[in-house]
Amino acid sequence: MNATPEFLYPESAPTIPPETQLNLNVRGLRPSATLAINEHSAALEQEGREVFRLGLGQSPFPVPEPVVEALRRNAHQKDYLPVKGLQVLREAVAGYHRRRNRVDVRGEDVLIGPGSKELMFILQLVYYGDLVIPMPSWVSYMPQAHMIGRQIRWVPTRVEDGWRLTPDGLERVCREDPTRPRLLILNYPSNPTGKSYRSDELEALADVARRYRVLLLSDEIYGELHFDGEHRSIACFYPEGTVISSGLSKWCGAGGWRLGTFAFPPALRWLLEAMSVVASETFTSTSAPIQHAAVTAFEGGEEIDAYLRASRRVLKAIGPWVAAGLRESGVHVPEPDGGFYLFPDFEVSRSRLAMRGIVSSEQLCSRLLDDLGIAMLPGTAFGRPATELTARMAYVDFDGAQALAAAAAVREGAALDESFLRTHCPRIVTATERLVEWLRH
Ligand SMILES: Cc1ncc(COP(=O)(O)O)c(C=O)c1O
């Protein structure tokens, strides 16, 4: 029998650093920026500092009661479930997409996973193509591609377009090598900007994607949190090439439950099958009680609709209020359409910030945390250049259950005003005011 190679034991081979034994695609990667800021914030809080948690993008709202009740009823479910997901849940998710997005999805075209993030990783693993993403994009698409060894094409966007992908921008990338396989991930309402796309804009992007046979992953995890409930899926315009990604994490307030869904067109069944092979050799199946409870969430009903209306109302009161406050001090902030993020650009304060030694988005966020206790994520985490002064604010540091209850007492249809925010989202108001004051000095 061969002796165990010595290099497996770094202490007996001090000249070989342990990290040299890591897969080259993983070496040097740091934990996800979102999780890192949360840990840093927790450490400051332990020292007794007040921290405004505007870093991690977690829903502030509780899971709707009928869904919690369904989980209670299903706590005893203990068997492994089919790798593609519980059949009734796959049917419920298909029904949800038919009802909400007017896209003809069938149960056998749905894949359930432990979070949409995991499904995205597996998709990138099985699909042989470059990853194409607008700059800025959510923090994890790029590291996933990097780990797998895929090429990454960032598509430039402009502040005037609300940092959104344009058909021209996509066309420019595709034209370079028209037949190259590509996976485009489009996320709207967007993390980090809160911006969405109008139907005509989706249609124009769909035309380019179709022309170049781009595989489109439409990340619609914030779709239900469109402020006016008017989310539209690009799958309506490019049904044959779009996979819709969704899950419980954002609209259902259940990030920690870990349940994500992919809905495929029938023509992409081969992709679903390939992904389920990988799933069968990795996570096996998603937690049984959670899948049973998710049936209630995706089947919906009046109570869940009311919960969604109230969530949207609260978010619609906060996002535009904070954006307007920042704009008063000259900061450029795209007007959000949904979700719970803003992506301010502090360029207007560049010279004043430079005098304080701040010339990059990382320095900006680190000083905001040290000086004001405000946790935000630097634009670099979303692919923006290091010296650009952009940052993402997740306006979720408030008691969501209390805010929903208070919103229910205000006549439906009436906007929630500033006094509502001061009473029920006081930490968001204080953080905004402190930030504006800090910029002035
Ligand atoms: C844009 C976007 N996509 C996907 C995810 C992943 O969600 P989950 O894995 O919880 O389904 C997140 C979570 O923060 C997100 O912001």
Side-chain angles (χ1 to χ4, degrees):
M1 208 169 82
N2 287 343
T4 312
E6 219 190 13
F7 63 75
L8 286 177
Y9 298 98
E11 59 279 16
S12 66
T15 52
I16 303 175
E19 51 288 4
T20 57
Q21 296 170 51
L22 288 174
N23 177 325
L24 284 180
N25 291 343
V26 174
R27 199 189 292 182
L29 285 183
R30 291 183 294 169
S32 155
T34 344
L35 301 179
I37 189 92
N38 218 37
E39 281 167 24
H40 188 172
S41 305
L44 285 178
E45 275 175 339
Q46 285 223 314
E47 289 167 17
R49 295 272 315 271
E50 179 179 35
V51 174
F52 298 89
R53 287 176 171 259
L54 310 181
L56 182 71
Q58 169 155 287
S59 165
F61 302 117
V63 180
E65 191 47 39
V67 184
V68 174
E69 179 48 36
L71 181 60
R72 267 190 216 108
R73 280 197 313 273
N74 284 287
H76 66 282
Q77 303 282 358
K78 63 169 197 56
D79 290 343
Y80 289 116
L81 293 178
V83 61
K84 291 174 189 163
L86 183 68
Q87 194 53 33
V88 278
L89 175 58
R90 296 172 76 202
E91 297 293 345
V93 171
Y96 164 87
H97 285 300
R98 288 195 299 269
R99 192 171 72 245
R100 299 290 302 153
N101 296 326
R102 281 168 280 155
V103 180
D104 186 21
V105 179
R106 285 170 298 165
E108 63 264 36
D109 293 320
V110 171
L111 181 61
I112 308 295
S116 60
K117 195 191 231 181
E118 181 65 25
L119 293 177
M120 286 169 193
F121 183 75
I122 295 180
L123 175 64
Q124 295 211 52
L125 183 75
V126 304
Y127 185 70
Y128 179 79
D130 292 358
L131 173 69
V132 178
I133 40 178
M135 183 196 287
S137 278
W138 179 50
V139 290
S140 291
Y141 307 136
M142 188 274 280
Q144 289 189 347
H146 185 84
M147 286 174 201
I148 290 163
R150 296 275 173 262
Q151 298 277 350
I152 299 149
R153 272 306 299 265
W154 288 100
V155 190
T157 60
R158 301 184 315 164
V159 64
E160 310 86 276
D161 298 325
W163 307 112
R164 287 174 311 163
L165 181 68
T166 60
D168 278 354
L170 180 58
E171 170 109 41
R172 228 168 281 133
V173 169
C174 294
R175 217 181 315 149
E176 284 169 13
D177 184 354
T179 55
R180 198 176 172 89
R182 293 184 176 91
L183 166 67
L184 166 66
I185 307 187
L186 196 63
N187 164 230
Y188 54 100
S190 152
N191 175 2
T193 67
K195 295 298 297 170
S196 197
Y197 293 85
R198 293 191 314 266
S199 289
D200 58 316
E201 293 167 332
L202 291 174
E203 200 171 356
L205 287 167
D207 285 348
V208 180
R210 176 180 294 111
R211 207 166 332 121
Y212 293 95
R213 295 172 174 270
V214 173
L215 173 64
L216 178 46
L217 180 69
S218 185
D219 182 351
E220 303 184 25
I221 194 124
Y222 298 96
E224 288 288 7
L225 298 180
H226 185 286
F227 294 153
D228 299 318
E230 285 172 7
H231 175 75
R232 195 84 203 271
S233 176
I234 194 168
C236 294
F237 307 108
Y238 184 35
E240 72 278 23
T242 304
V243 179
I244 309 176
S245 178
S246 184
L248 292 184
S249 297
K250 310 296 174 179
W251 65 266
C252 201
W257 285 21
R258 309 308 302 129
L259 186 131
T261 66
F262 269 18
F264 295 78
L268 295 180
R269 178 77 53 82
W270 56 274
L271 202 51
L272 186 158
E273 295 299 338
M275 284 182 65
S276 40
V277 171
V278 177
S280 75
E281 301 293 6
T282 52
F283 66 78
T284 305
S285 62
T286 304
S287 160
I290 300 293
Q291 289 205 56
H292 282 278
V295 175
T296 301
F298 283 100
E299 280 180 348
E302 182 41 42
E303 209 171 325
I304 290 175
D305 283 349
Y307 163 91
L308 283 173
R309 282 197 303 275
S311 305
R312 292 177 193 132
R313 222 172 146 207
V314 171
L315 295 173
K316 185 178 180 172
I318 305 174
W321 185 87
V322 176
L326 292 175
R327 259 184 229 127
E328 269 174 35
S329 49
V331 175
H332 186 281
V333 196
E335 187 64 15
D337 300 311
F340 36 68
Y341 305 105
L342 292 172
F343 198 61
D345 180 354
F346 297 89
E347 181 61 31
V348 66
S349 307
R350 180 173 288 282
S351 49
R352 249 191 259 174
L353 292 171
M355 284 193 284
R356 297 189 221 170
I358 300 170
V359 296
S360 71
S361 63
E362 292 202 3
Q363 286 167 344
L364 174 67
C365 288
S366 148
R367 285 291 289 279
L368 285 174
L369 193 51
D370 288 339
D371 291 4
L372 301 174
I374 295 180
M376 303 214 295
L377 282 183
T380 46
F382 304 90
R384 297 302 309 172
T387 54
E388 185 180 88
L389 297 172
T390 47
R392 187 196 75 179
M393 175 192 280
Y395 48 91
V396 293
D397 191 354
F398 61 96
D399 181 336
Q402 197 212 33
L404 289 184
V410 181
R411 183 178 56 82
E412 227 179 294
L416 305 176
D417 59 12
E418 185 173 318
S419 73
F420 179 94
L421 298 183
R422 289 192 182 276
T423 311
H424 302 291
C425 312
R427 296 175 58 74
I428 305 280
V429 172
T430 306
T432 308
E433 289 174 345
R434 287 198 192 166
L435 178 52
V436 167
E437 187 60 25
W438 183 84
L439 286 171
R440 212 173 278 144
H441 293 293

